[in-house]
Amino acid sequence: MSQSNADLSLLGVFSLLSLLAIGGGTAVLPEMKSLTVDAHQWITDGQFRDIYALGQVAPGPNMLMVIVIGYHVAGTPGALIAFTGFFLPASTLALGASRLWNHFEGSAWRLALQNALAPIVVGLMAAGMIAIARTAITGTETTLLAIAVFGLVYFGPKINPALLILAGGAVGYLTLP
């Protein structure tokens, strides 16, 4: 694939994902994985998982992971293209939608739409979690680790999730063959 074709593919994929990211970037993780791993084969399952984990630990928005994917595909220009493709369309749409949203403040239409979108966003976020779990949970050890982390987050004391991610990475590193 020529450089200009790779650049156009990056822009197309991340612009599409940008417009589909209702409720945040996590909502498009399954589709991002499908497009970047399966369809275009820019990265592997393991690389996608690792890039996502890095995005969770690094400061700033976790969807900055698109920069890493773009860099992997086409270097610095690819990183800039992926970043622009993922953030510019959604930002432009959000600006226009917020102006329209404010115009209809107090209307029954706005309340009905808001109530309808809530379960959709939750479902999309759950699909994102499932997509990441399928690449991260690969055996008995990772299943037990996932259960332990869930238990700590849900039932345990308040622990910074970044510390749990780092602990999971350390366990993974120590148990590598």
Side-chain angles (χ1 to χ4, degrees):
M1 178 185 296
S2 71
Q3 185 61 41
S4 62
N5 286 345
D7 293 348
L8 286 175
S9 291
L10 274 171
L11 185 62
V13 164
F14 287 110
S15 295
L16 172 67
L17 291 171
S18 173
L19 295 174
L20 295 176
I22 298 170
T26 306
V28 294
L29 281 175
E31 189 62 19
M32 183 184 298
K33 180 185 172 295
S34 173
L35 290 170
T36 60
V37 174
D38 303 326
H40 293 282
Q41 299 175 346
W42 289 331
I43 56 176
T44 65
D45 258 351
Q47 288 172 319
F48 186 83
R49 178 196 61 231
D50 294 345
I51 291 169
Y52 177 77
L54 179 64
Q56 294 299 304
V57 176
N62 61 357
M63 293 316 292
L64 289 177
M65 67 184 275
V66 302
I67 296 171
V68 178
I69 295 170
Y71 185 83
H72 184 77
V73 174
T76 302
L80 293 172
I81 290 167
F83 174 81
T84 302
F86 192 76
F87 290 102
L88 185 63
S91 299
T92 305
L93 183 63
L95 177 63
S98 70
R99 289 177 184 226
L100 184 63
W101 193 254
N102 290 337
H103 178 72
F104 287 103
E105 187 172 359
S107 75
W109 172 85
R110 176 178 157 167
L111 184 59
L113 184 62
Q114 188 171 338
N115 288 337
L117 285 175
I120 293 170
V121 170
V122 171
L124 289 170
M125 293 177 73
M129 285 184 350
I130 291 167
I132 292 299
R134 284 185 175 159
T135 63
I137 300 174
T138 58
T140 305
E141 295 88 4
T142 53
T143 301
L144 293 173
L145 183 60
I147 291 169
V149 169
F150 174 79
L152 280 171
V153 169
Y154 196 74
F155 300 109
K158 295 238 181 209
I159 299 174
N160 185 335
L163 295 175
L164 295 174
I165 292 169
L166 289 172
V171 169
Y173 179 77
L174 293 173
T175 59
L176 283 174

